[in-house]
Amino acid sequence: MNKYQYKVKGVDYEVEIAEVEGNIAKVNVNGIPFEVELQKPINAAKHPTMGTPKVQTPQSTAPAAKPIIAQPSENPAVPVAGISVKAPLPGTITDIRVQVGQQVNAGDIVLVLEAMKMQNNIEAEATGKVTSILVKQGDSVMEGSVLLTIG
């Protein structure tokens, strides 16, 4: 086993390379086991020089799904009429409490956005009918993404 000391953005890491097979390396980072995928296979007999590894969760057998990111309203394929309710910060939609055509009042909770493990109630910014909902439960959104419109 080879042990290395790294400093990344001011944080010290002790990396111990346990095993290398092809382009998969089993490593321990500060005592936590990981399997990392190397960009190029290395010869285990040589002194290992790792490129930028892709860190995977330990014992992961299925590839991770890419999150669906709702983009801001510049998308011309989605007509937006009325007042847009936008994401105040990046996060994941956990609950949609309204439907298209439903009447809402300013201040009503229209959906819930989880960000940094906190539930954030997103409120209607105006009184009117919901004209479109551009996200669904489970979607990841960026700050400024249009979530729904009120006409």
Side-chain angles (χ1 to χ4, degrees), residues 55-68:
V55 178
Q56 298 176 346
T57 56
Q59 295 88 22
S60 176
T61 57
K66 280 186 138 183
I68 299 170

Side-chain angles (χ1 to χ4, degrees), residues 29-108:
V29 179
N30 291 346
I32 301 170
F34 291 94
E35 280 190 10
V36 294
E37 182 180 346
L38 305 172
Q39 288 183 344
K40 293 185 217 174
I42 59 173
N43 184 348
K46 288 184 178 179
H47 189 64
T49 57
M50 295 181 126
T52 305
K54 296 178 184 174
V55 178
Q56 298 176 346
T57 56
Q59 295 88 22
S60 176
T61 57
K66 280 186 138 183
I68 299 170
I69 307 279
Q71 296 300 321
S73 64
E74 287 81 40
N75 185 350
V78 180
V80 179
I83 297 171
S84 299
V85 177
K86 297 180 180 181
L89 64 165
T92 302
I93 304 299
T94 58
D95 189 19
I96 299 175
R97 299 189 177 177
V98 294
Q99 296 176 348
V100 173
Q102 182 175 338
Q103 181 71 29
V104 294
N105 295 316
D108 287 352

